[in-house]
Amino acid sequence: MKIIQIPLLRDNYGYLLVCSKTNKAAVIDPSEGEPVLKRIAQEKVELQAILNTHHHRDHTGGNEELLQDHKLDEVYGHKSDAERIPGFSRGVDDGDEVRIGELSGKVLFIPGHATGHVAYLFGSALFCGDTLFVAGCGRLFEGTAEQMHGSLSKLMSLPDATKVYCGHEYTETNLRFALTLEPKNYKIAAKYEKVQGLRARGAPTVPSTIGEEKETNPFLRWDSKELRETLKRDYPELPMNPVSIFAQVRKLKDQF
Ligand SMILES: [Zn+2]
Ligand SMILES: [Zn+2]
């Protein structure tokens, strides 16, 4: 299995997932067509399918151009999004299997950012769109804090070594925000320093791992003593349960 990260639009990432045995490939979240087509030609892989994590235009904007150029087996998306994903042909839901060449992936239903949001898990590679970012999470456009908390908990239950291939390069701002909640968390501080170095030379900060996210992502840290103390100090009325803590962190990030 080979994963090729393709920077798209301003800060999106699309991914080519290639079955090394058969040379068949899928593209995950093609924001636009041209750079993806170029990369497919360069890599000389055979595009078999599009895997969309959700319907937003910056994740599906290239679907039509790819379909014009290639005969694809399927365009995947959550079963509720037939009307919203261009070229949609195969609806999937939690636990479904997706095959690309000889690779087999599993679908995880993770609503919150969008009602029909899914992740695709191939081996230890998680393609999670705009649900989980490096040190962040997606805005609650179509879902509730409770749903998003459930979706993030589901992703946290994956093995620590699982690689997080998310949909955007937002890490630097996310970590700056994380430090306002846990200024003494040296793991966040160290990661922020590393990430600033990477971004200064235009290098990606994605992928991360589930293990790293559990240690540095404020949207997964409802159990952190320091984060709870910061919130208690600023919002003494806030109930100290995971969902309200998550909801408050999300609200603060929206205003950051
Ligand atoms: Zn989105
Ligand atoms: Zn997006």
Side-chain angles (χ1 to χ4, degrees):
M1 179 171 103
K2 193 172 155 192
I3 295 163
I4 298 157
Q5 187 171 35
I6 315 173
L8 299 169
L9 302 176
R10 204 166 59 110
D11 52 32
N12 278 77
Y13 288 124
Y15 301 94
L16 268 184
L17 173 75
V18 185
C19 168
S20 311
K21 268 195 199 157
T22 60
N23 207 36
K24 287 190 193 285
V27 57
I28 294 126
D29 285 353
S31 322
E32 48 183 338
E34 202 206 313
V36 176
L37 288 169
K38 242 191 212 158
R39 203 59 199 264
I40 289 166
Q42 262 172 23
E43 301 289 333
K44 298 188 172 64
V45 294
E46 188 191 330
L47 189 68
Q48 187 191 336
I50 296 172
L51 306 179
N52 291 122
T53 59
H54 64 299
H55 73 94
H56 288 155
R57 208 53 197 158
D58 63 310
H59 296 255
T60 58
N63 281 16
E64 272 155 346
E65 210 178 324
L66 293 176
L67 281 164
Q68 276 163 20
D69 230 77
H70 289 267
K71 258 209 160 61
L72 300 184
D73 293 349
E74 304 283 6
V75 176
Y76 292 91
H78 185 253
K79 61 176 187 181
S80 66
D81 268 338
E83 305 301 319
R84 303 200 290 184
I85 293 178
F88 179 100
S89 70
R90 177 74 75 95
V92 289
D93 201 1
D94 200 57
D96 285 351
E97 193 200 7
V98 172
R99 297 192 70 90
I100 305 298
E102 289 178 17
L103 302 175
S104 165
K106 198 178 120 188
V107 176
L108 304 171
F109 180 49
I110 46 169
H113 173 71
T115 48
H117 203 304
V118 293
Y120 301 94
L121 179 68
F122 284 83
S124 63
L126 174 74
F127 299 96
C128 52
D130 289 356
T131 298
L132 177 65
F133 295 130
V134 179
C137 80
R139 284 177 190 255
L140 304 178
F141 285 130
E142 299 175 3
T144 63
E146 202 165 356
Q147 273 177 327
M148 192 60 147
H149 173 266
S151 296
L152 292 171
S153 302
K154 192 187 266 186
L155 298 182
M156 277 172 86
S157 72
L158 296 171
D160 281 353
T162 307
K163 287 205 165 118
V164 177
Y165 292 92
C166 58
H168 289 270
E169 178 61 63
Y170 290 157
T171 312
E172 199 171 346
T173 320
N174 286 345
L175 286 168
R176 205 159 55 235
F177 170 70
L179 281 169
T180 65
L181 298 171
E182 290 186 273
K184 293 190 198 123
N185 183 330
Y186 71 93
K187 284 183 176 161
I188 297 179
K191 184 152 183 178
Y192 182 49
E193 212 177 296
K194 186 179 138 199
V195 158
Q196 280 179 305
L198 286 169
R199 294 312 293 152
R201 51 175 212 269
T205 65
V206 177
S208 166
T209 64
I210 289 290
E212 250 181 82
E213 290 314 302
K214 286 200 274 194
E215 288 177 334
T216 54
N217 188 324
F219 297 96
L220 308 181
R221 293 187 54 75
W222 46 76
D223 286 334
S224 149
K225 195 166 163 252
E226 191 184 3
L227 183 138
R228 283 179 174 232
E229 274 165 8
T230 302
L231 292 180
K232 229 183 266 169
R233 183 196 64 204
D234 296 345
Y235 308 94
E237 307 293 311
L238 185 75
M240 282 294 135
N241 64 68
V243 175
S244 353
I245 291 171
F246 166 77
Q248 186 63 36
V249 173
R250 186 57 262 174
K251 212 156 111 192
L252 290 169
K253 178 63 170 55
D254 288 344
Q255 299 153 3
F256 183 67

